[in-house]
Amino acid sequence: MNDMLLQVEPLIPALRRYARALMRNAASADDLVQDCLERAVSRWHQRRDGNTRSWLSPFFTTSPSISSVNRRRAAST
């Protein structure tokens, strides 16, 4: 658990910035980051050595929150 905290905690500000850019709403962005981190914690045992940031990125792109935003944006164009 300590290893995970040391690797993930420094990435949180960048994750929040990325989520705000994707969601265009601070509250939704925070929800997305929380969802991403919850999924990362539950799957930490599956992680292989390497770049933690790149390991976290699929959690953003496969999040149900992102899917709903993408559908709304596609419908509005």
Side-chain angles (χ1 to χ4, degrees):
M1 183 68 142
N2 220 7
D3 178 49
M4 178 178 50
L5 185 62
L6 291 173
Q7 291 185 39
V8 173
E9 188 175 23
L11 300 175
I12 293 174
L15 294 174
R16 291 185 77 207
R17 283 191 302 275
Y18 181 55
R20 284 183 182 209
L22 290 173
M23 302 301 286
R24 300 180 186 164
N25 177 298
S28 296
D30 287 341
D31 290 342
L32 177 59
V33 172
Q34 181 177 347
D35 180 52
C36 174
L37 293 175
E38 287 175 359
R39 293 169 72 194
V41 167
S42 69
R43 292 170 177 83
W44 189 256
H45 66 281
Q46 298 173 347
R47 187 185 150 288
R48 294 195 167 93
D49 289 336
N51 188 338
T52 303
R53 186 174 184 167
S54 64
W55 181 76
L56 288 172
S57 66
F59 294 126
F60 271 96
T61 57
T62 60
S63 170
S65 301
I66 290 296
S67 299
S68 65
V69 167
N70 288 340
R71 280 192 301 273
R72 279 195 308 258
R73 287 182 187 163
S76 68
T77 58

